[in-house]
Amino acid sequence: MHPLFTLVLTTILTSNCSATKNAFITKRDHRTFIGPIGSPFGFLEKGVYTLSVSDFKVAVRDHHRRYHKQSSSSGQEEAAKAEEALLNDLHPGFLLKRFENENDFANFQEGIYDNVTNCGFADFIDGGEYAEDDDNFIGIFREENHNKRKHRKNRKRDLDAIFNGNGNGDGDVNGDDDDYAYEDDMNSIGDDDDDLKLLRSSSYYDRYYDENLATGEGVIDGGGDAGIFLSMKNREHMWEPNTPSLEHKFTVYEAGFYFLFYQICLTPQSSNSNDNSKFIFKEITSNFKLDFHYMNIDTFGKVSYLTAGEMPLPHMFMYFTISYIILLVMWLQSMKRDMSVPVNNASGSSGAGFGGGPKPTIYAIHHLMSAVVFLKILTLLFESIRYHYIRVNGQADIWSFMYYIINFIKGTFLFTVILLIGSGWSFFKPFLTTKERRVILFVIVLQIIDNIAITILTHETENERLYNDWSTVLHLVDIISCCAILLPIVWQVNTLEESVDAGTGSSSSGGGEGVSDTVQDLEESSSSSSSPQNSRLQSKLDLFRSFYLIVVAYIYFTRIVIYLFASSLKYNQTWIRYFVYELGTLTFYFLVGMKLRPVAEVHSYTQLQNDGNGGGGDDG
């Protein structure tokens, strides 16, 4: 096991733990649609989006050319001309587009996959509004943006004049740009102060006042739902060694959930011709490097590098840290006194004290449960600090490193403790069977692989090929781990059911030999009748059944319900996903603690006599 732990530590130490990687690199990528690139981001008013593209190139080749060389230079020239013609029929580009939530984008993405001729930025290249002639394509983009900027400046002057009481300004209020319904808004303004107040409080003024329209070669700033589009069609101006870029600042009207994606579309001429057979047996590959940065301005006017929905997370994780501290104090207090037994009813008043009953029996598993809660406290504390520094600085190298280390230890501890509880170790028997030891070892190895995957994902951008590969490994390993920890519980339940049915407690089954041996020892050493013995077995069976249901509910809630619930959240509500997850985890810890809290010997889980034969008991 030591080499595996060393591998995890080495992976974390050598990784970029800033958790804010803003680069996306792909080479010889066969995908014609890549998205979302990076995590979706919720922009607020005055948020800033910058994008820079370098080393961009698209290649179209015949499959057979990968394995056969051209026989002559003339054949190579003909192939080059054919590739050139095919490239003219393609229109690659990047679009940052607003969606309601992750489900909305997933439906959009599914539509692209169902029909490869569907273009995500068709509004920018179809309908004749923007020409497809390579010679003037860039110029038309530049002129369009210039006209939009001119209209916005004129509107700003008109609104300033109205707000200052000078009537309508000299701006071009009758322009051809109908995107913002400006003329209707201006004509609806009366002399009533309430009308002016309404206009001041609305998002229109900020929209018209905006002077941060993204411009540049190949850039069309549609704003709002249309998005910010960067065309990469012009090879002379946009492909390597050129580095096209853009910057956009968001208004109140444009606030929302934005997804960045890349797609290679067919030009309108090629798409309308319905002759796409020329792309059969063709290999289209893309090479590019993206540098993109997202930034928000919070309600206090300070820069925040967190998405709108994650801004409350630093405080939220700190509140949960305090909650777990309270939970740990309650747990430690229950280890000192059995609070469920009144003092005057406790057998033997020597162990009774102020505010509680007799001193409970402490097993080794109780100390491990205390360690899990303590590690959870550290995890939440470091995560709170980590998000704070990401919000302020955009990175948190040291705190991210500490968080991933503690989270790895906590995750491994949690699964191990659940396995030990499920096997009945310490509570009912002082040993583990061979089958149980193998399961525990298997789960620990899976947890190590799981944390290696998490660490690698932290310094990869979403939808990079390495990210997708390790994300698949992460989900697969997590599912296998969750299934594996249920096995000892199922074995224990089966063993107890057979013992109860037999009425003697001497039956045995796979994975539960320890419980049967313990029950047999009880029969030999106890003078009680078989009826109380069966009653105690039934109590243990009910305990394990309830524990099984709690674990299954926790796995189902955190792995399935949270995922389905989170995909429907809006851009400023994504914090609810983390809140519900942590609240469910806190409930799981509380319920398990209540079920397995230390109790006095007379009310213990097994009603075992303290005969000194081990069992993990610790009265001191």
Side-chain angles (χ1 to χ4, degrees):
M1 292 301 298
H2 177 70
L4 290 176
F5 279 100
T6 304
L7 178 60
V8 173
L9 295 176
T10 303
T11 304
I12 296 176
L13 286 170
T14 56
S15 66
N16 178 10
C17 291
S18 64
T20 55
K21 183 173 183 287
N22 296 312
F24 183 94
I25 302 174
T26 186
K27 295 181 179 180
R28 295 183 295 277
D29 200 317
H30 299 273
R31 294 173 291 178
T32 58
F33 180 91
I34 304 176
I37 298 177
S39 299
F41 198 85
F43 283 101
L44 298 173
E45 180 189 6
K46 299 180 182 179
V48 179
Y49 157 61
T50 61
L51 175 67
S52 177
V53 186
S54 58
D55 302 329
F56 185 87
K57 185 179 181 181
V58 175
V60 181
R61 294 184 176 87
D62 290 319
H63 283 290
H64 72 274
R65 288 188 60 207
R66 299 177 59 186
Y67 309 102
H68 300 86
K69 295 183 179 179
Q70 296 293 336
S71 57
S72 63
S73 59
S74 61
Q76 294 179 0
E77 292 177 0
E78 292 178 0
K81 291 180 180 179
E83 291 179 10
E84 184 77 12
L86 292 175
L87 286 174
N88 290 333
D89 290 332
L90 300 177
H91 194 140
F94 299 90
L95 180 63
L96 184 73
K97 185 176 177 63
R98 182 169 65 182
F99 293 87
E100 187 72 16
N101 48 46
E102 292 183 4
N103 280 336
D104 194 14
F105 177 80
N107 294 332
F108 167 81
Q109 188 179 37
E110 185 177 356
I112 299 293
Y113 290 149
D114 289 343
N115 187 354
V116 294
T117 61
N118 288 340
C119 183
F121 43 80
D123 294 339
F124 294 95
I125 64 175
D126 285 354
E129 182 177 0
Y130 307 107
E132 285 297 320
D133 187 355
D134 285 342
D135 293 335
N136 63 6
F137 187 77
I138 301 302
I140 290 175
F141 274 114
R142 186 182 293 112
E143 181 181 358
E144 178 69 21
N145 280 317
H146 174 73
N147 291 336
K148 286 186 178 181
R149 179 180 290 275
K150 180 180 178 181
H151 284 304
R152 286 192 179 185
K153 286 185 177 180
N154 290 336
R155 289 165 179 170
K156 171 190 171 184
R157 183 168 60 249
D158 287 325
L159 289 171
D160 282 339
I162 292 175
F163 286 170
N164 292 329
N166 298 327
N168 291 339
D170 297 326
D172 179 16
V173 299
N174 296 316
D176 296 330
D177 187 0
D178 295 330
D179 290 344
Y180 316 113
Y182 174 74
E183 184 176 353
D184 293 339
D185 291 331
M186 294 298 294
N187 292 333
S188 65
I189 298 176
D191 296 330
D192 193 346
D193 291 340
D194 290 337
D195 290 333
L196 295 178
K197 182 178 180 181
L198 176 63
L199 182 61
R200 285 193 184 100
S201 63
S202 70
S203 62
Y204 292 109
Y205 180 73
D206 287 324
R207 177 66 176 173
Y208 300 142
Y209 209 99
D210 177 42
E211 292 203 39
N212 299 300
L213 186 69
T215 59
E217 294 187 343
V219 178
I220 296 182
D221 190 343
D225 294 327
I228 301 95
F229 176 56
L230 176 62
S231 170
M232 303 299 295
K233 180 170 177 55
N234 191 293
R235 280 169 278 168
E236 181 180 354
H237 294 85
M238 310 300 288
W239 291 24
E240 58 179 359
N242 300 289
T243 307
S245 61
L246 64 87
E247 177 178 323
H248 176 80
K249 293 185 180 180
F250 292 82
T251 64
V252 172
Y253 174 80
E254 296 170 334
F257 214 1
Y258 283 82
F259 294 70
L260 176 64
F261 65 87
Y262 165 78
Q263 188 177 4
I264 302 178
C265 294
L266 296 176
T267 60
Q269 292 86 344
S270 177
S271 180
N272 294 333
S273 65
N274 295 323
D275 182 19
N276 298 324
S277 59
K278 53 190 172 183
F279 289 100
I280 298 178
F281 302 116
K282 297 296 187 296
E283 181 182 74
I284 303 175
T285 59
S286 301
N287 298 271
F288 59 84
K289 176 183 178 181
L290 294 184
D291 288 303
F292 54 94
H293 297 275
Y294 303 143
M295 185 183 72
N296 272 319
I297 303 297
D298 61 20
T299 55
F300 301 101
K302 298 181 180 180
V303 173
S304 174
Y305 292 95
L306 292 176
T307 179
E310 292 183 352
M311 288 184 180
L313 291 186
H315 294 92
M316 190 198 75
F317 285 128
M318 186 58 67
Y319 295 148
F320 273 106
T321 301
I322 297 173
S323 300
Y324 277 96
I325 291 176
I326 296 174
L327 188 66
L328 180 60
V329 171
M330 294 172 57
W331 176 256
L332 295 178
Q333 184 65 27
S334 70
M335 294 176 67
K336 294 181 179 179
R337 292 289 182 266
D338 187 354
M339 308 298 292
S340 63
V341 181
V343 177
N344 56 355
N345 292 337
S347 58
S349 59
S350 60
F354 175 76
K359 191 172 183 180
T361 301
I362 306 299
Y363 295 95
I365 194 67
H366 289 135
H367 297 297
L368 294 180
M369 294 169 69
S370 302
V372 170
V373 179
F374 178 72
L375 290 172
K376 181 64 177 179
I377 292 173
L378 292 181
T379 301
L380 289 172
L381 177 62
F382 287 131
E383 191 165 18
S384 175
I385 299 173
R386 169 174 167 264
Y387 268 101
H388 168 75
Y389 280 100
I390 291 175
R391 178 178 64 84
V392 175
N393 302 325
Q395 59 180 7
D397 294 339
I398 297 178
W399 295 108
S400 293
F401 168 77
M402 296 297 298
Y403 166 73
Y404 290 120
I405 288 291
I406 299 298
N407 189 60
F408 160 65
I409 299 174
K410 187 268 300 179
T412 305
F413 243 75
L414 175 62
F415 277 85
T416 303
V417 169
I418 292 176
L419 284 167
L420 292 175
I421 295 175
S423 67
W425 177 81
S426 183
F427 284 131
F428 308 138
K429 58 184 181 182
F431 59 87
L432 295 172
T433 65
T434 303
K435 189 182 296 186
E436 291 166 346
R437 286 196 297 267
R438 289 174 178 172
V439 172
I440 291 177
L441 180 62
F442 177 66
V443 170
I444 291 177
V445 172
L446 289 179
Q447 282 300 295
I448 292 174
I449 297 174
D450 184 82
N451 282 273
I452 291 175
I454 292 175
T455 305
I456 292 177
L457 292 180
T458 59
H459 65 282
E460 297 296 328
T461 304
E462 186 171 347
N463 260 309
E464 284 185 330
R465 283 179 291 185
L466 187 60
Y467 180 97
N468 293 339
D469 294 341
W470 278 99
S471 180
T472 302
V473 172
L474 175 64
H475 292 303
L476 179 62
V477 168
D478 190 56
I479 292 174
I480 296 175
S481 298
C482 292
C483 294
I485 63 174
L486 297 176
L487 290 178
I489 309 177
V490 173
W491 294 337
Q492 198 69 256
V493 169
N494 290 338
T495 299
L496 291 171
E497 286 178 344
E498 292 178 1
S499 299
V500 170
D501 292 340
T504 61
S506 59
S507 301
S508 62
S509 66
E513 300 89 338
V515 174
S516 301
D517 293 341
T518 304
V519 174
Q520 187 175 6
D521 291 340
L522 273 174
E523 288 183 328
E524 295 175 355
S525 61
S526 177
S527 60
S528 61
S529 63
S530 61
S531 179
Q533 186 74 8
N534 290 337
S535 176
R536 289 193 292 270
L537 286 174
Q538 185 63 48
S539 299
K540 289 192 291 182
L541 178 60
D542 293 340
L543 176 66
F544 272 89
R545 281 175 174 172
S546 61
F547 179 68
Y548 173 80
L549 293 176
I550 292 174
V551 174
V552 170
Y554 172 71
I555 293 174
Y556 180 80
F557 182 78
T558 57
R559 268 64 179 179
I560 300 177
V561 175
I562 292 294
Y563 173 78
L564 298 176
F565 166 75
S567 60
S568 61
L569 295 175
K570 296 183 179 180
Y571 76 103
N572 56 351
Q573 300 173 339
T574 52
W575 64 272
I576 301 177
R577 172 180 188 170
Y578 302 92
F579 175 80
V580 174
Y581 177 87
E582 292 300 337
L583 185 62
T585 303
L586 180 64
T587 303
F588 170 73
Y589 277 56
F590 178 79
L591 292 177
V592 172
M594 288 296 294
K595 287 288 183 181
L596 303 175
R597 68 186 184 277
V599 292
E601 185 68 24
V602 69
H603 292 89
S604 66
Y605 313 99
T606 60
Q607 298 287 340
L608 293 176
Q609 295 179 356
N610 189 12
D611 55 4
N613 65 346
D618 182 11
D619 292 332

